Amino acid sequence: MRSILRTDPIARDVAALCAAGVVVGLSFGAIASAAGVPLSQIVAMNALVYAGGAQFLAVGMAGAGATTAAIALAGLLLNARHLPFGLAIGNEVLGEGRGARLLGSHLMTDESVAFALAQSDPARRRRAYWMTGICLFLTWNVAGAAGAIVGSALGDPETFGIDAAFPAALLALTLPSLKDRPSLRVAIGAAALALVATPFLPAGLPVLAALLALVLGRKQAS
């Protein structure tokens, strides 16, 4: 196992990401359990919904007395970024079969898409996507169930600073791609828009606001 991690950069990066995912998954399970969500519902949510940010949001909104419709709408808005993600990877990564596309779409996360797009070779791109997606899915489900069993003793993932590991990994993957001025302008514009929107929008929605930088980049290119 150690030899694989030393010689395979994809496996090494995925292993580091999953290590952070363990703590976040444990924390979600503990927080959801403390909020009164039954273990069976936590397990079902992890397996069927599989959307970390949206799940934290759902538990928080439910605890605040929000309706099911409001929670579902917030989750859809938060995960709307998956639409451009799917266009970015397409059948080249997910495959042509309907079953593969459905499974690949379910495993889609910010990290799996970023790991895939960081690869220049199509075969490595597919391997990075599926390895990241499957490993994170298993990590999230096992850690979430364990956290729910343990209870609320773990607390908020921000207490450990692990919440910073995911954006740090994405930033490390993005930086090598910012070699030309248009890409750099779009990245800086997206970061600025997200920072400005963060105090005013719920968690996750600033990412959608950052997509406006793509429109600005297209106008400058034309």
Side-chain angles (χ1 to χ4, degrees):
M1 180 65 180
R2 290 183 179 178
S3 61
I4 295 177
L5 295 179
R6 284 197 297 265
T7 58
D8 189 342
I10 296 177
R12 184 171 60 247
D13 291 342
V14 171
L17 196 62
C18 287
V22 168
V23 177
V24 179
L26 286 170
S27 299
F28 170 74
I31 291 170
S33 178
V37 181
L39 175 61
S40 59
Q41 292 185 17
I42 294 174
V43 172
M45 184 188 296
N46 284 344
L48 301 178
V49 178
Y50 184 50
Q55 290 181 233
F56 276 107
L57 179 64
V59 171
M61 291 181 67
T67 64
T68 303
I71 295 173
L73 179 60
L76 289 173
L77 290 174
L78 184 58
N79 288 313
R81 67 190 187 278
H82 286 190
L83 293 174
F85 285 174
L87 294 175
I89 58 176
N91 291 338
E92 179 188 41
V93 172
L94 297 182
E96 297 290 342
R98 179 177 299 179
R101 291 199 300 270
L102 288 174
L103 178 59
S105 299
H106 186 58
L107 297 177
M108 184 181 295
T109 62
D110 298 2
E111 296 78 24
S112 61
V113 173
F115 271 49
L117 296 181
Q119 311 300 320
S120 56
D121 178 68
R124 288 179 60 83
R125 182 169 290 184
R126 287 191 296 272
R127 182 169 175 269
Y129 181 86
W130 285 99
M131 180 183 292
T132 306
I134 292 173
C135 290
L136 282 180
F137 179 80
L138 294 176
T139 298
W140 178 255
N141 279 269
V142 173
I149 294 172
V150 171
S152 59
L154 292 175
D156 196 314
E158 294 183 3
T159 304
F160 304 92
I162 300 298
D163 56 307
F166 289 94
L170 291 176
L171 179 61
L173 288 168
T174 303
L175 287 177
S177 303
L178 305 180
K179 298 178 180 179
D180 55 272
R181 288 188 177 182
S183 298
L184 187 60
R185 282 196 297 265
V186 170
I188 294 175
L193 287 170
L195 287 174
V196 171
T198 296
F200 307 103
L201 297 177
L205 294 187
V207 177
L208 299 180
L211 293 176
L212 294 174
L214 294 174
V215 179
L216 298 177
R218 176 174 293 184
K219 288 182 178 180
Q220 291 179 358
S222 61

